[in-house]
Amino acid sequence: MPHPFLPDRPVDEAASRAIVDAGGIPLRAQRRIHEMNTSGHAVWTSTLSPSELVVASQTGIESISQVMGSSVYHVGFSGMTRTWTSGELTGLTHAYADARSRALSRMQQEATMMRAHAVVDVRFEGRGYDWASDLIEFTAIGTAVRLRGQPPPQQAVLTLLKTDELWKLHHAGYWPVAIAIGNCFWFDPHCDCTSETSIFSGELPMHTIASQTTRDLAVHRFREFAGHFGAHGVVGVQVERKAHDHEHEGHTRFQIELVMMGTAVVRRHDAGEPPRPKLIVDLRDPPIPFIA
């Protein structure tokens, strides 16, 4: 029986659609990975810079291939706006969280099929569409790597770390387990600067409450996410905040989005004391060439 991923075998589009609906990766992507795994001379690509590649090769980290995962998501009408009262736009929060999660999951599936130990240098690319304001797209991109001489794991781990950061983390006695994410969208229909304060300088209470509450909700979800994987801590936390006011029927509406991301880590049982950092500064003057 021919292998289902041989190039001369057509792709079952219906089966591929069913796999994507279930959160998997399309059959064409699976075929590409199969060809990479079975070819002895496949050209690999990566997001690593030349310097990072040198560090990886000298520390036993082998680059396998660039991996990615995508999700184009439709946000229903109920998630786009809130008309009368202030509060979280839960539909929008859940839509963005689900889209990011699906993109990460598909990237992790690609890396696992390649028998990778980890995906390093993970980054997100998000975009909307001018012709469809209710569509969002997230693409996760990273480089799948193996640890030289180690058996493949059941599942590759995702990290925001660079190769040198992964190596330092390992020697410090920690190992990544997941990318933790927490987000929140908040909306307030009445945030007029003139009504919140006077002509003198002063705090804008509604804006402050919105910013603080958005952060608290995002942090709570962020911590829950890391706790789900049994993490002892999170390193390299990134915070992205977007906020804007816009006029509507004589009032100023305020909307804020906040997302937190970081690499959740656990302390290894076999870990000893982390190495003490060394500072080496060459204070010698550079040699002066002899001039006859």
Side-chain angles (χ1 to χ4, degrees), residues 187 189 244-248 251-255:
F187 174 78
H244 64 271
D245 293 326
H246 57 92
E247 298 293 331
H248 180 76
H251 296 285
T252 301
R253 293 185 169 190
F254 179 65
Q255 182 172 315

Side-chain angles (χ1 to χ4, degrees), residues 85-87 186-197 204-211 244-248 250-256:
T85 60
S86 63
W186 189 270
F187 174 78
D188 198 303
H190 300 287
C191 273
D192 302 277
C193 295
T194 54
S195 61
E196 284 194 74
T197 185
L204 302 177
M206 297 302 295
H207 284 74
T208 300
I209 292 172
S211 296
H244 64 271
D245 293 326
H246 57 92
E247 298 293 331
H248 180 76
H251 296 285
T252 301
R253 293 185 169 190
F254 179 65
Q255 182 172 315
I256 182 172

